[in-house]
Structures are given as C-alpha cells and as structure tokens.
Amino acid sequence: MTILISVLAVLVSLGSLTIAYASSRRSHMPVLQFMWESGQGGSGEPKWWLVNVGTGPATNIVVAQAVRTGLKRGLNSEVWFNPVLVPSIPASEKLALTWLGGTMGLDCGLGASYTDVDRYFYTTKCGDDVSMFFTGLHLPRWPLLKLHGSKAVKTWWGVEDLSGPQWSSVSAIHFTRRWWLPSRFGLSRRLGGWADPVLSYRPSE
C-alpha cells in the first residue's frame, strides 16, 4: 500500500510538472497569420501582412512561397522558394510583406517558419485564404547564414519585388529527415544544437 501511494505521488508530481511546462510554453507562444488587405477605403495599395496573434514574440522568421501547399504537416510534395528573413514580430503586432506586391502570392501558397524565445520552431502555412498553424518546422530548413559562399535566404530590406528569377527552391528530397524525430515536429523541433538538420540542406540545381 505504501509503495502504491508513493507511485501515485510521483505520477501526480510528474503530471503537475508537465502541466506547468505546457502552461509556460503557451504563455510566450507566437502564432503568425497571413492577412490580405485589399487597399479599399483609401487604405493604400493592397498588400499581404504577417500578424502575430499569439502571446509571445516571433523571432527568426523566414517567409517563403510555394506553387501550392496542402496545408499539412511536413513538406510532402510541396516545393518552396524565395525565402526571405524578416524582423521579429512582437505579440499583437504585424509586418507588411511589401516585396510580395499587390497581387503576388494570391495564386500560390505562402509559408512562415519562426521560433519563440526558447528557440522552438513553429510554422504557418497559407493557401486559398486559409492559414494553418503547426508546432515544429514544416518548411525547408534554409541556413540563415552563408552556405558555400552564398546566402540561401535574402533579407527583407534587400528584396524590392519578385519580378526576377526564383531563388533557393527546395523540396522534401533536399533534406534527410531524422528517423527518431516525431512527425508532428516536421524537420526540426528546435533551432540550433545537435538535432538541427541544417547540414543536410542541399539546394536544387
């Protein structure tokens, strides 16, 4: 009987720790959502916005495009391209995606990968005016720094529009997925560290 009580006490303690940890994560979890502003009513040119509707700042944000997205976990058959690194977005704030222009992106999928203050990954995919939020990295893991002498991801202030050729086009075949990582986390759960699959990145020719 004493052993049973001890086991129950340990289980209750573990349950309490799990709930406390989950609550702490949610207290600073960013959730980004794509928003289209038509420009009607004298509000200026139509444009895409990235809005943080979560409870914490979104950092290390990379916005990319796809010909089409299935709004599902993982990369599947999606081909992502034109990755752009944008500034952090605090909770309840938004950022104009000016390089997409007034019409660019309307007929294709949009995606954003980002991290919270603990460097855990999150992903938002948008297609047909529907945004889906996922825990983990479900977009390509483009290196933010130079790889083989060139940058895979452009910075937002260096991209005026998308009238030129695409860059850094990649799909699921350009990554080696870690067999031990649960599929709900996609390619990675956290930025940096020994579990980061960035070294397996192979840009398409």
Side-chain angles (χ1 to χ4, degrees):
M1 188 64 178
T2 303
I3 296 178
L4 179 59
I5 294 175
S6 299
V7 171
L8 289 175
V10 170
L11 292 176
V12 170
S13 298
L14 289 176
S16 299
L17 288 174
T18 301
I19 293 174
Y21 173 76
S23 177
S24 176
R25 286 286 306 279
R26 290 192 183 95
S27 68
H28 56 258
M29 179 183 294
V31 178
L32 296 185
Q33 180 175 344
F34 289 95
M35 182 182 73
W36 170 253
E37 186 177 82
S38 63
Q40 296 178 351
S43 58
E45 294 294 325
K47 65 173 70 73
W48 282 99
W49 292 85
L50 197 56
V51 186
N52 188 352
V53 297
T55 54
T59 61
N60 302 305
I61 307 168
V62 175
V63 177
Q65 292 178 280
V67 174
R68 192 168 188 83
T69 172
L71 300 176
K72 298 179 180 178
R73 293 185 176 91
L75 296 181
N76 305 300
S77 59
E78 300 167 343
V79 178
W80 293 92
F81 51 89
N82 293 357
V84 178
L85 179 66
V86 304
S88 300
I89 305 178
S92 303
E93 296 293 333
K94 63 181 181 179
L95 177 73
L97 308 180
T98 54
W99 67 92
L100 293 178
T103 57
M104 293 296 294
L106 285 175
D107 298 324
C108 71
L110 296 174
S113 64
Y114 45 101
T115 62
D116 61 16
V117 294
D118 293 322
R119 297 190 298 174
Y120 282 98
F121 271 115
Y122 302 92
T123 303
T124 298
K125 294 183 178 182
C126 177
D128 297 325
D129 294 325
V130 177
S131 289
M132 298 295 291
F133 169 80
F134 306 104
T135 299
L137 178 62
H138 301 272
L139 259 62
R141 174 65 177 96
W142 287 288
L144 300 183
L145 302 178
K146 288 185 178 181
L147 181 70
H148 307 309
S150 60
K151 295 194 69 172
V153 178
K154 295 186 178 183
T155 50
W156 66 284
W157 45 265
V159 181
E160 295 182 358
D161 57 56
L162 299 176
S163 58
Q166 298 177 2
W167 64 90
S168 301
S169 177
V170 294
S171 62
I173 65 173
H174 300 108
F175 291 87
T176 302
R177 184 180 145 71
R178 301 298 189 255
W179 63 269
W180 44 261
L181 186 67
S183 59
R184 66 180 181 274
F185 296 127
L187 291 177
S188 185
R189 186 183 183 190
R190 200 165 187 266
L191 176 65
W194 61 276
D196 195 338
V198 64
L199 295 181
S200 67
Y201 170 81
R202 303 191 311 275
S204 59
E205 300 296 336

